[in-house]
Every structure is written in structure tokens, then in C-alpha cells.
Amino acid sequence: LLMHDASSEASLLERCQNLHQKATLDPMTQVANRAEFDRVLAMFVTAHQEQRFPCAMMICDLDRFKRVNDTYGHQAGDDAIKSLAALMKSCARAGDLVARYGGEEFVVVLIQTDAKGAFKFAERMRKTVSSLAVMTPDNQKLKITISLGLATFPDDATEGPALIARADEALYEAKRSGRN
């Protein structure tokens, strides 16, 4: 009988997994962080160029977020961000990427999704969020809404940065048009 103590190897594997999570996940929301989004977007675009599958990107921003923080406090703002991230994760399909882009802004890359499918996904997200209530620290129900911008590949762009720019442009048009 030969025995080998593998506890140090198991510990190393666990530490590597923890480091990977810290490097790729946003600590507050547990969705992909900006660096991971940038890395994966390049892979998505390359794969979709080779396979000729459509894909779409949705940029989402909490409406009047500064007012939430100023009125109810930063904890309520953080809770709104966490609720939105959890909702987006639950609505995304296996293979889609949900990431925190910055602040209260999120992106979803939808694989094998054309413009019509992306619009359905975005509209479902918008309606679900507008029916969501986040509890404030003083137990008030806070209603939140989001504005969304969509872009599709290859219709709106043929590379990652152009896809982001097109989705961002659509997001700002949604905000100018009245939000939600």
C-alpha cells in the first residue's frame, strides 16, 4: 500500500480557483467584471465571424441612479445593482455573458441571437425590472427602471469595439427618449 498526501495539491487548486474568481468576477454582483467582458467579447466576435452566427449585445443602465443613492443611500443603490445583476443572470441562457460594465451599467452578450431575439430579450428584461421592487434600508419599496441599448453582429458592427459603441449609442438614445 502506497499513500500520498495530496492536501497541498488540493489546496493549490482551490487557491487557483479563488484567484480566477477574483480576477474575473465583480465582487459585489458576482457577474463577470469589465476585464473578463473585454476578454470574452473578443472571443465571441472571432467565433461569430468564423461560424457566421449572429450575436447581439445589450447595454443596460439603471435610470436616475444618482437620485436613488442621494435619496435612499448607497446601500439602497447597491441593493438595486445586486438585484439587477441577479435578474440578468437568471434570464441569460447558458453561453450568454452577463457583465458589470461599470457603476450601474451592465452588458449582456447574447450568443446566436439576431436583432429580433435580442429585442425580445431586452423587452422582457425591461418589463421584469420595472415590476421589481427593491427594499430600502427604511423598508420602503423602491421601484427601478432601466434603459437599454442593443446592437447586433454583424448587422451593426463587425468588431467588438464598434459593437460596444453602437449599443452605447442606442442606450443614450433610449435615455433621451424618456428612459425605461
Side-chain angles (χ1 to χ4, degrees), residues 46-78:
T46 299
H48 283 79
Q49 284 172 333
E50 292 171 0
Q51 304 287 326
R52 293 289 187 221
F53 290 130
C55 74
M57 180 189 305
M58 178 183 83
I59 294 184
C60 162
D61 189 64
L62 278 163
D63 292 328
R64 297 181 170 87
F65 183 71
K66 183 176 177 350
R67 189 180 336 173
V68 171
N69 278 339
D70 291 348
T71 304
Y72 300 102
H74 289 279
Q75 185 60 53
D78 287 353

Side-chain angles (χ1 to χ4, degrees), residues 1-170:
L1 176 66
L2 179 64
M3 297 185 84
H4 174 72
D5 181 5
S7 59
S8 63
E9 293 164 16
S11 176
L12 179 61
L13 178 61
E14 187 177 298
R15 286 187 295 188
C16 287
Q17 289 171 337
N18 286 340
L19 285 173
H20 177 73
Q21 284 185 337
K22 286 181 179 188
T24 60
L25 293 181
D26 175 65
M28 182 168 66
T29 62
Q30 296 302 299
V31 299
N33 62 23
R34 175 69 181 268
E36 181 67 357
F37 166 75
D38 290 339
R39 185 186 73 78
V40 172
L41 179 63
M43 291 181 352
F44 270 10
V45 169
T46 299
H48 283 79
Q49 284 172 333
E50 292 171 0
Q51 304 287 326
R52 293 289 187 221
F53 290 130
C55 74
M57 180 189 305
M58 178 183 83
I59 294 184
C60 162
D61 189 64
L62 278 163
D63 292 328
R64 297 181 170 87
F65 183 71
K66 183 176 177 350
R67 189 180 336 173
V68 171
N69 278 339
D70 291 348
T71 304
Y72 300 102
H74 289 279
Q75 185 60 53
D78 287 353
D79 290 346
I81 288 171
K82 289 176 195 175
S83 295
L84 178 57
L87 177 67
M88 293 176 86
K89 272 176 62 171
S90 72
C91 290
R93 302 163 301 172
D96 292 343
L97 175 70
V98 177
R100 186 170 180 195
Y101 197 62
E104 74 279 5
E105 208 168 52
F106 291 86
V107 291
V108 181
V109 179
L110 302 161
I111 61 167
Q112 296 184 14
T113 303
D114 61 10
K116 185 177 178 181
F119 183 81
K120 283 182 182 178
F121 178 86
E123 187 60 15
R124 184 174 42 140
M125 287 293 303
R126 187 192 65 77
K127 286 179 179 177
T128 303
V129 170
S130 67
S131 68
L132 186 71
V134 176
M135 296 304 291
T136 65
D138 57 351
N139 290 323
Q140 294 182 42
K141 287 185 179 178
L142 171 63
K143 299 297 258 175
I144 58 173
T145 60
I146 55 174
S147 293
L148 305 158
L150 292 173
T152 58
F153 176 86
D155 298 339
D156 293 320
T158 57
E159 57 183 30
L163 192 64
I164 295 168
R166 178 63 189 108
D168 207 34
E169 182 181 307

